[in-house]
Amino acid sequence: MAHDHHHTEPPSEVDLRVKALESLLTEKGLIDPTALDALVETYEHKVGPRNGARVVAKAWTDPAYRERLLKDATAAIAELGYSGVQGEDMVVVENSADVHNVVVCTLCSCYPWPTLGLPPIWYKSAPYRSRVVMDPRGVLAEFGTAVAADKEVRVWDSNAELRYLVLPERPAETDGWTEEQLADLVTRDSMIGTAVAKTANT
């Protein structure tokens, strides 16, 4: 795991300015916090993860793309039009019958926004950041993900220079499915590694 971080804690000046501006506009009644929450919800659960799900679905159906994705994730993801801030340097790690991967940022919340959207609150929490390194199987079990004892669990530490994305195993009984159908089986958490992809019968 990489532990060479260059993090910024407390929040950056830009983050503080945005928060101050949001508070001021809310006080003056110029913005609706509920509407803002809805926007955040959209980017956190729909837009971002949907992009990553399309990347995974293409890798499942196109062996040549999968090879490019594992070799140079940043370029392969950009082929589908997903790039930008927080996604400049990507690495994709693939789950298999022998290995389950899970991603964390031990010092803050480094996260691939173009493919996964906004990070979930728990991803940024101190308990997750510390415990998933010390007891990954225990943390995964709390997410409802049981990993077989004979399967290796690898924990990848994202940082300011490198962001990780998990390529989950393709669910059984999905032969002949379209990329769009397969993308519906890919969740945000399955691309972080705290879950597996949905089954064909979900």
Side-chain angles (χ1 to χ4, degrees):
M1 292 189 302
H3 288 278
D4 182 18
H5 285 65
H6 297 280
H7 299 269
T8 53
E9 291 187 35
S12 68
E13 184 178 347
V14 172
D15 290 339
L16 292 173
R17 285 176 181 272
V18 169
K19 189 63 181 175
L21 180 60
E22 179 186 336
S23 298
L24 181 63
L25 293 174
T26 300
E27 281 181 16
K28 291 183 175 296
L30 297 175
I31 61 172
D32 179 359
T34 303
L36 281 181
D37 289 344
L39 281 173
V40 171
E41 175 74 11
T42 296
Y43 278 95
E44 186 172 0
H45 295 287
K46 297 178 182 177
V47 177
R50 192 66 185 169
N51 293 347
R54 291 192 178 102
V55 171
V56 170
K58 185 165 184 63
W60 282 346
T61 57
D62 183 341
Y65 180 77
R66 171 184 163 276
E67 186 174 338
R68 294 198 300 279
L69 184 67
L70 295 175
K71 184 176 182 181
D72 185 348
T74 307
I77 291 170
E79 287 180 27
L80 302 188
Y82 310 133
S83 61
V85 177
Q86 312 291 329
E88 301 96 334
D89 296 293
M90 294 289 300
V91 170
V92 169
V93 289
E94 184 178 33
N95 284 350
S96 69
D98 301 317
V99 175
H100 181 92
N101 297 284
V102 61
V103 178
V104 66
C105 175
T106 54
L107 291 185
C108 58
S109 58
C110 295
Y111 193 75
W113 287 32
T115 44
L116 293 187
L118 301 177
I121 291 174
W122 56 260
Y123 184 84
K124 298 182 283 186
S125 71
Y128 174 77
R129 286 156 39 200
S130 59
R131 291 185 56 232
V132 76
V133 174
M134 297 183 291
D135 180 21
R137 290 179 185 276
V139 171
L140 292 174
E142 292 173 12
F143 277 92
T145 302
V147 179
D150 60 351
K151 179 179 280 196
E152 179 185 357
V153 178
R154 295 177 182 169
V155 182
W156 299 89
D157 194 359
S158 287
N159 57 58
E161 285 77 35
L162 211 56
R163 314 294 166 102
Y164 293 95
L165 180 76
V166 174
L167 176 58
E169 289 184 273
R170 178 172 175 164
E173 302 178 358
T174 57
D175 290 345
W177 284 36
T178 65
E179 287 184 24
E180 200 65 20
Q181 288 175 305
L182 290 168
D184 287 338
L185 302 180
V186 183
T187 65
R188 176 197 65 195
D189 290 1
S190 72
M191 293 180 281
I192 297 174
T194 53
V196 296
K198 298 177 183 176
T199 66
N201 299 319
T202 302

